[in-house]
Amino acid sequence: MGCGASMYPAGERKNKSVPEVVVYVPSMRIPAQSDLQRPLRGLIPQDLVDRLACLRNQIVLVAEDTGGSDVAELRRALDEYLPLLIGLTKKEHGLEGSVEFKWKNLESGRQENSVANSLFELLSVIHMIAMLNLSEANRLMIPEDCSGSGIRVVSSDCKRDAVDLLLKASGCLVFCVREILAHLPPDIKKTISKDFQDGVLEAISIQALGQGTEIQLGFAVESQKASLSVKRRLACEQMIYFGQAYHFLSELDMSNGHGKKHLCFIKWKFLEAKAAAYYYHGLILDKGTEPACHVSAVCCFLAAGGILSESKKACLTFSLADPVTRSPPLWGAMKHLHKKIPEVASRKSQMYGYLLEEEKALQALPDLPDFDLSLAPDDFVLPEIDPAWDRNKGGTHGQPLKEHLKDSEDETET
């Protein structure tokens, strides 16, 4: 696993510049050239075979030519391909294992899988759609006219669009887990990419919700109308999302590929959210009138300061992990909190230093409140099967199945 589409800004080819990552995109997998013509000949109408092969080849060419960065063109081709592909997955057509579908890693160019199963192809296509949504969300969060001053200006519309894309990506991955991966034969599950192992897709889906919440927290921090309770809730929810994602990944073998970098990213974002949660929890506790309230608040501020320092180290570890990336200039809530947390922790610990000495028994870090999670994945719904498949209800076209299989064997022998 690793940074795939996030490594190449939209509209550019691969280059050696160090990419900037706001939204982490695990490794992008793209289709490799596969023969659809020969195995499907005579089984379905030739025009249907031609359309399937043409659209898949188009996806291959666009992905290879642009490094996966032409999201709009890839999505258009994938949206056209899906209704046709669905027909190959229908049991009544008896074609599930007819074609050997090949996929490769975009970054390395190395072929990862060659599987004769149409459900695997469906899984791979929807996974690619999810990765494209994450990649586009990353692009939206990196302004093209960055002056290099370190001041990041991302429009509110871009942020909202990024959240929408994150929710769509999350929904795609949930669909992959519940509706496809669960129905793949065990022998095929053992052979497919580790990107599809149990827990990885769930982790990325939850991670997308966490990053959506991170953007929402940024909106709240910038709004004068948002209360401390709202900010604390969003920070706690972000922490829970990333905590859940880390739990999924930490139980897997992430030593291969760029799994370690993925774990580093999740840890970094978890620590940022935890620092924010304790900071806002401390501000709320500090509004109390009892000495114990102020002592608990100072404990929260000091904890937030320590966790923030850990998050800075985690950010550096993530950036230096292979493949090397650049962390973005401070943005959203962290742009505000990187300055406020140390200031408030220092001021409040001095202000209530006498209480800390008098009430040593109360110097315990209070628990953060637990909240129901607000963001949910957008439901991914498969499109209707292409009407061309209705013309295939009569069975094979052009030659009986036995003859088709015999011809295929003859071609293989020659």
Side-chain angles (χ1 to χ4, degrees):
M1 301 178 66
C3 290
S6 65
M7 298 193 65
Y8 313 117
E12 295 180 9
R13 291 174 176 266
K14 298 179 185 180
N15 55 60
K16 295 183 179 180
S17 64
V18 178
E20 183 176 330
V21 176
V22 176
V23 174
Y24 185 78
V25 186
S27 59
M28 175 82 78
R29 299 169 63 259
I30 63 173
Q33 291 289 348
S34 303
D35 182 10
L36 277 67
Q37 291 282 354
R38 187 179 63 83
L40 293 176
R41 189 185 66 200
L43 298 180
I44 59 177
Q46 188 58 41
D47 65 327
L48 187 52
V49 178
D50 292 341
R51 288 176 62 199
L52 276 163
C54 179
L55 281 169
R56 196 179 193 278
N57 288 339
Q58 184 179 351
I59 296 167
V60 171
L61 292 173
V62 173
E64 290 181 344
D65 189 51
T66 66
S69 63
D70 193 343
V71 174
E73 183 63 22
L74 284 171
R75 279 304 309 267
R76 185 197 64 77
L78 288 165
D79 288 344
E80 287 187 41
Y81 180 57
L82 259 182
L84 291 168
L85 172 61
I86 291 170
L88 291 178
T89 68
K90 298 296 183 181
K91 290 185 177 180
E92 58 265 30
H93 294 150
L95 301 169
E96 301 101 304
S98 300
V99 178
E100 189 170 353
F101 294 102
K102 300 176 181 179
W103 285 75
K104 63 183 180 181
N105 183 282
L106 173 63
E107 187 179 337
S108 67
R110 184 178 62 253
Q111 183 174 308
E112 291 187 341
N113 291 116
S114 181
V115 181
N117 185 284
S118 56
L119 269 183
F120 163 76
E121 175 79 348
L122 184 64
L123 172 68
S124 299
V125 166
I126 298 175
H127 178 270
M128 184 177 179
I129 291 173
M131 296 304 104
L132 289 172
N133 284 334
L134 293 178
S135 177
E136 183 66 3
N138 183 64
R139 185 190 69 81
L140 289 173
M141 294 301 293
I142 300 176
E144 296 179 359
D145 57 346
C146 185
S147 63
S149 64
I151 300 175
R152 178 172 298 279
V153 179
V154 180
S155 72
S156 296
D157 287 342
C158 283
K159 293 176 185 176
R160 293 189 186 96
D161 289 344
V163 172
D164 289 341
L165 287 165
L166 289 164
L167 298 185
K168 289 178 181 177
S170 181
C172 287
L173 296 169
V174 168
F175 185 90
C176 286
V177 172
R178 296 178 181 175
E179 305 300 330
I180 305 179
L181 199 59
H183 300 289
L184 274 180
D187 58 321
I188 291 180
K189 281 187 180 181
K190 293 178 182 178
T191 63
I192 60 178
S193 168
K194 285 193 173 184
D195 291 344
F196 295 142
Q197 64 182 312
D198 290 340
V200 173
L201 298 183
E202 292 95 329
I204 303 170
S205 174
I206 295 169
Q207 169 193 321
L209 299 179
Q211 296 215 254
T213 306
E214 179 184 15
I215 296 172
Q216 288 186 329
L217 177 58
F219 276 127
V221 170
E222 294 168 1
S223 172
Q224 296 181 348
K225 297 180 180 180
S227 66
L228 288 176
S229 296
V230 168
K231 296 171 186 175
R232 179 181 65 179
R233 179 184 182 116
L234 288 170
C236 287
E237 288 185 27
Q238 181 187 343
M239 182 187 71
I240 293 170
Y241 283 126
F242 282 110
Q244 290 177 350
Y246 190 86
H247 173 74
F248 273 112
L249 291 182
S250 62
E251 295 186 339
L252 303 173
D253 178 11
M254 303 296 288
S255 58
N256 295 329
H258 303 307
K260 289 183 179 179
K261 188 175 185 72
H262 194 178
L263 274 172
C264 288
F265 179 81
I266 299 293
K267 181 179 180 180
W268 166 33
K269 289 299 172 180
F270 172 79
L271 291 171
E272 282 191 341
K274 190 174 183 180
Y278 272 116
Y279 172 72
Y280 288 117
H281 192 43
L283 291 180
I284 291 173
L285 291 175
D286 199 37
K287 289 183 176 296
T289 57
E290 297 295 323
C293 296
H294 301 307
V295 171
S296 295
V298 173
C299 289
C300 286
F301 296 139
L302 293 174
I307 296 168
L308 184 65
S309 296
E310 287 184 54
S311 77
K312 293 176 182 178
K313 296 177 184 177
C315 175
L316 181 60
T317 301
F318 164 72
S319 297
L320 295 178
D322 186 45
V324 175
T325 53
R326 287 187 296 121
S327 58
L330 294 175
W331 64 279
M334 283 298 115
K335 183 177 178 180
H336 171 74
L337 296 181
H338 265 242
K339 180 180 179 181
K340 292 297 294 183
I341 288 176
E343 286 182 357
V344 173
S346 175
R347 186 174 72 252
K348 293 294 183 178
S349 58
Q350 291 179 19
M351 183 182 300
Y352 298 119
Y354 70 97
L355 286 177
L356 292 173
E357 290 296 323
E358 294 175 1
E359 307 288 348
K360 289 185 178 181
L362 299 177
Q363 290 186 37
L365 186 63
D367 292 332
L368 291 169
D370 197 16
F371 295 103
D372 292 331
L373 300 175
S374 303
L375 282 187
D378 280 355
D379 290 334
F380 177 82
V381 180
L382 280 177
E384 294 292 328
I385 188 172
D386 192 283
W389 283 100
D390 291 337
R391 301 197 299 272
N392 191 46
K393 288 183 177 178
T396 59
H397 291 253
Q399 63 184 141
L401 179 58
K402 287 184 179 179
E403 292 182 16
H404 169 79
L405 293 176
K406 185 177 185 303
D407 287 349
S408 296
E409 291 173 0
D410 293 342
E411 290 178 13
T412 301
E413 290 173 3
T414 58

